[in-house]
Amino acid sequence: MKEVTPAEFQKTVSDYLLRNRSILDVMTKLQDATTRVNRAIAKSVTYCGCIRIEAGKQEIPEDVESNSLLDYVKSHIEGEPCPNCRDIIESELGNALFYLAAVSCLLGLDMGKALKKENDRISTL
């Protein structure tokens, strides 16, 4: 599968946005898309059962060094999505990314720059 850059993806989305150019429409569709991602994950737990969520308070010692934090924090996810659930979740994530790119296009923002800024920000933490 060919890798797609953020710029290529954003250009494809921009070319596709012929009828739905209202920022209000795109904003609400982005919100709906992220809700569908959450729903797909929840269905993986409640309907399929391929993953489980075992949540509780994260117990982190006060004197732990920041480079050791990963030894103490958990994702609360047990198991892995089955191929069917993985496919559904990836599809819903793709849809959410589409609307995120659409918001960026309509506001004249560059997703690549936003990704780089966020990557730089979190890599300095």
Side-chain angles (χ1 to χ4, degrees), residues 45-90:
V45 174
T46 61
Y47 181 74
C48 179
C50 58
I51 61 175
R52 290 175 310 288
I53 297 175
E54 296 289 334
K57 181 179 178 189
Q58 302 276 9
E59 300 291 340
I60 303 171
E62 289 184 28
D63 60 341
V64 71
E65 304 258 340
S66 61
N67 58 350
S68 299
L69 278 174
L70 287 179
D71 296 335
Y72 296 96
V73 294
K74 299 176 182 162
S75 70
H76 298 133
I77 300 169
E78 292 186 7
E80 292 184 10
C82 68
N84 183 54
C85 290
R86 179 178 302 279
D87 205 38
I88 292 168
I89 294 167
E90 285 176 346

